[in-house]
Amino acid sequence: MENTLDIDKLPSPKGVPVLGNLPEFNAENKHQVLEAWAKEVGNVYKISLMGKKFIVSADPDLNQEILKRRPDAFRRFGKIDEIMSEMGILGVFNAEGEQWKIHRKLTSEALNLKNVQGFFPTLQRVTHRLHDRWLKLAEQNDTIDVQKEMVRYTVDITTDIAFGYDINTLQKEKDVIQDQMEKVFPMINERITAPIPLWRYFKSKKDKAFDQAIESIVKLVHEFIAEARERLKDNADLQANPTNFLEALLVEQSSSGLLSDKEIFGNVFTILLAGEDTTSNSISWTLFYLLQHPEVFQKVREEAGRVCGDKLCPSSNEELAAMRYTEAVAMEAMRLKPVTPNLYMEALKDVTVNGLFIKKGMTVMMQNKVAQTDDAHFTNADQFIPERWIPKACPMHDKHSPQIMRAFGAGPRFCPGRNLAVHEMKMALAMICKNFELTLQVKPEEVIESFAFTMFPKNLKVKLSLR
Ligand code: HEM
């Protein structure tokens, strides 16, 4: 192991006695602290949090290799599973080993491109509703919080795709399940990063409200499971062509017996968790850049006009596929603002990766935004230039490294919802740019990165008007 480096030889940012780097790390936006340290001490370094050591890596090659060596050598940070299992969630995101392989196969199949294309009518219906809602908001001259609007959009799509429920948060002011879901993400984030699991000994008002939220979501999803089972009973047609994720899982359960009811619940819940905020935040960040780049906004508008003619938005998968510039815009926003800038992985055994020895149980905190915004990998890396994603459109780009993009992770646990997410992003962006004018109501620097398991633009306040 002559050329092997181990954690002791890694540099480290300056800490304080006993607590180590905890005081600075304890900030709300941990990813920004970790990114700043990478710039200060180097791409691979260690930190100590009350004596416990962690490796932090902003090195794209090391991160790629770690992500690839799952599920055998690495798993997601164990605490994620601990917290999710405690909430009764057992699905593809937190399963490991052989169990993960079963969940993964089912999830990937349910979200493959062919099935995602089959979801087009849902995307179209919800995009029309977003249009109608924004029309009213524009007439009222209201200031809107874009991120909250986009959550409604992705919640409506995802709930329909997950279990065929038309939740319609775009047209209804209140929905019970949505109210409850909104409490889940921030709480998972809070508990994963809590130094002491206080809620196990003493339940605060917030913990109790959270328990109640989980309870009512569980109850509702179980009602959906019962209804779907009833629909599938004696219906060979539906069994052969399930119309949503839940039905597909139930068909699989009755043919292979591989999934328990608990796992079916866990996977449906996982799709809601994994598919909503990630996509809504990515659309919101894209709009944040479009607002500052009117020339790009105009190009998306022109593309939408060319592709959709008089219609409000793309009306088929073919039209959606033709929105190539809009896709480049989405990619560029995800490069600059990946909504999961932190991916934490834990070694399942002693392992050497790219010359770095990582001991069993050690957690590696990956910071993927650092490389995505580094001139070493992308020319003028800090600038929003969608053309870099279109071959030959931008001759100035001698440096372009799409292989280091980690917005959707990498390796065997790469995001299975990518196709769906990109379809949703393009659909929303096309409709918005084609039909509305947006004016930012705050200074761009007042729109800040905020974190609740995923990173979202806080304070993205906009006024709408009709084109
Ligand atoms: C722009 C939107 C999205 C982003 C940025 C995103 C990002 C990610 C990332 C970074 C991971 C971890 C990958 C890894 O560990 O290598 C992930 C996993 C996952 N995502 Fe997404 N995602 C998005 C949308 C979606 C959607 C729409 C769905 C489903 C409806 C989805 C379902 C999942 C699932 C089930 C996993 C866990 C996969 C596994 O562990 O095998 N995601 N996503």
Side-chain angles (χ1 to χ4, degrees):
M1 297 226 279
E2 228 171 273
N3 294 321
T4 304
L5 204 65
D6 70 18
I7 187 165
D8 292 331
K9 299 195 192 102
L10 292 177
S12 173
K14 217 167 150 18
V16 295
V18 187
L19 296 176
N21 303 103
L22 188 68
E24 273 184 82
F25 180 76
N26 246 349
E28 207 179 298
N29 278 343
K30 297 186 176 20
H31 69 287
Q32 286 177 325
V33 176
L34 294 168
E35 285 165 9
W37 279 336
K39 287 188 182 135
E40 189 187 313
V41 298
N43 267 348
V44 186
Y45 61 94
K46 64 172 178 275
I47 58 169
S48 163
L49 305 177
M50 292 176 76
K52 194 166 160 53
K53 290 191 175 130
F54 296 84
I55 295 174
V56 183
S57 168
D59 176 335
D61 297 329
L62 179 64
N63 293 355
Q64 164 77 6
E65 210 40 44
I66 290 175
L67 292 171
K68 249 169 64 185
R69 289 171 74 170
R70 295 178 292 171
D72 302 333
F74 289 92
R75 58 170 293 167
R76 288 195 202 290
F77 183 41
K79 208 145 175 215
I80 296 183
D81 178 38
E82 187 187 310
I83 299 299
M84 287 177 75
S85 295
E86 189 177 66
M87 295 172 180
I89 307 166
L90 174 61
V92 61
F93 191 80
N94 59 325
E96 290 297 332
E98 290 307 308
Q99 196 184 36
W100 167 74
K101 286 183 190 162
I102 297 170
H103 291 203
R104 174 74 193 195
K105 189 166 172 285
L106 296 171
T107 309
S108 308
E109 272 166 21
L111 295 172
N112 68 20
L113 185 58
K114 180 174 158 279
N115 287 333
V116 167
Q117 286 174 340
F119 299 145
F120 189 81
T122 301
L123 258 65
Q124 195 180 22
R125 176 166 38 85
V126 176
T127 308
H128 276 250
R129 280 186 189 161
L130 178 66
H131 171 267
D132 296 350
R133 175 180 167 85
W134 278 26
L135 209 60
K136 279 195 201 128
L137 292 170
E139 276 161 11
Q140 290 161 10
N141 203 22
D142 281 347
T143 296
I144 59 163
D145 184 321
V146 171
Q147 190 262 343
K148 294 206 166 82
E149 288 294 309
M150 288 304 121
V151 169
R152 287 174 186 265
Y153 178 71
T154 58
V155 162
D156 284 8
I157 292 174
T158 319
T159 320
D160 200 3
I161 287 168
F163 41 65
Y165 174 51
D166 187 12
I167 192 168
N168 200 0
T169 62
L170 282 168
Q171 290 176 324
K172 291 193 302 203
E173 265 326 305
K174 274 245 169 257
D175 181 276
V176 184
I177 187 167
Q178 188 46 30
D179 262 7
Q180 313 294 28
M181 285 296 292
E182 274 171 15
K183 300 188 183 117
V184 177
F185 246 144
M187 195 54 132
I188 293 182
N189 187 47
E190 206 176 301
R191 289 189 176 177
I192 285 170
T193 49
I196 304 164
L198 280 178
W199 66 94
R200 289 186 193 148
Y201 312 103
F202 166 77
K203 293 224 189 263
S204 67
K205 221 169 142 186
K206 201 165 146 196
D207 293 319
K208 285 183 189 155
F210 176 70
D211 286 350
Q212 255 175 14
I214 289 279
E215 226 172 84
S216 43
I217 297 170
V218 171
K219 191 165 164 275
L220 199 79
V221 174
H222 280 292
E223 280 168 24
F224 286 127
I225 294 179
E227 280 167 25
R229 229 179 230 135
E230 200 48 41
R231 272 198 309 277
L232 284 161
K233 207 166 84 187
D234 305 325
N235 187 341
D237 240 18
L238 190 58
Q239 285 167 23
N241 300 297
T243 58
N244 58 54
F245 186 64
L246 171 59
E247 287 174 0
L249 293 183
L250 287 171
V251 170
E252 185 61 32
Q253 184 191 42
S254 65
S255 65
S256 69
L258 281 174
L259 293 172
S260 65
D261 271 13
K262 196 167 181 235
E263 288 171 312
I264 290 196
F265 164 76
N267 277 304
V268 170
F269 199 98
T270 297
I271 290 292
L272 298 183
L273 278 179
E276 292 177 354
D277 288 22
T278 45
T279 315
S280 58
N281 295 346
S282 299
I283 302 172
S284 304
W285 279 118
T286 313
L287 288 170
F288 170 69
Y289 283 109
L290 286 177
L291 280 160
Q292 293 167 78
H293 294 270
E295 72 294 353
V296 179
F297 192 106
Q298 185 56 29
K299 278 188 176 178
V300 175
R301 175 174 283 175
E302 279 165 17
E303 183 171 74
R306 240 183 356 262
V307 170
C308 320
D310 292 340
K311 290 162 294 191
L312 293 179
C313 60
S315 64
S316 65
N317 280 305
E318 291 66 34
E319 285 187 5
L320 196 57
M323 303 281 308
R324 294 212 178 81
Y325 184 74
T326 308
E327 184 160 337
V329 168
M331 287 303 292
E332 182 65 345
M334 288 191 280
R335 179 183 71 81
L336 289 165
K337 300 286 183 190
V339 297
T340 53
N342 295 321
L343 292 179
Y344 291 3
M345 298 297 145
E346 198 174 296
L348 289 166
K349 55 185 177 192
D350 287 359
V351 56
T352 300
V353 188
N354 289 10
L356 175 67
F357 173 73
I358 304 172
K359 210 172 160 41
K360 180 178 174 182
M362 175 63 65
T363 296
V364 183
M365 301 175 167
M366 295 180 181
Q367 303 308 305
N368 292 316
K369 179 144 68 81
V370 177
Q372 288 177 200
T373 51
D374 186 343
D375 282 338
H377 304 288
F378 293 96
T379 304
N380 297 328
D382 60 343
Q383 290 174 30
F384 180 72
I385 310 173
E387 282 73 10
R388 68 172 93 237
W389 294 98
I390 301 171
K392 297 193 193 128
C394 199
M396 54 167 286
H397 286 128
D398 45 342
K399 284 209 186 105
H400 183 58
S401 317
Q403 74 282 2
I404 67 138
M405 276 284 279
R406 298 277 174 269
F408 292 101
R413 301 197 73 154
F414 179 82
C415 173
R418 183 193 185 282
N419 286 327
L420 176 58
V422 174
H423 276 58
E424 289 179 54
M425 291 182 75
K426 287 166 74 176
M427 198 72 179
L429 295 168
M431 189 285 285
I432 293 169
C433 294
K434 187 164 190 295
N435 299 285
F436 294 95
E437 300 288 354
L438 276 64
T439 328
L440 195 56
Q441 297 300 297
V442 293
K443 294 193 190 103
E445 57 276 21
E446 287 168 350
V447 179
I448 51 166
E449 291 182 7
S450 195
F451 206 87
F453 205 58
T454 56
M455 183 182 86
F456 64 95
K458 192 171 178 176
N459 213 19
L460 185 51
K461 300 276 166 51
V462 159
K463 243 193 185 126
L464 291 175
S465 55
L466 270 179
R467 215 187 131 180

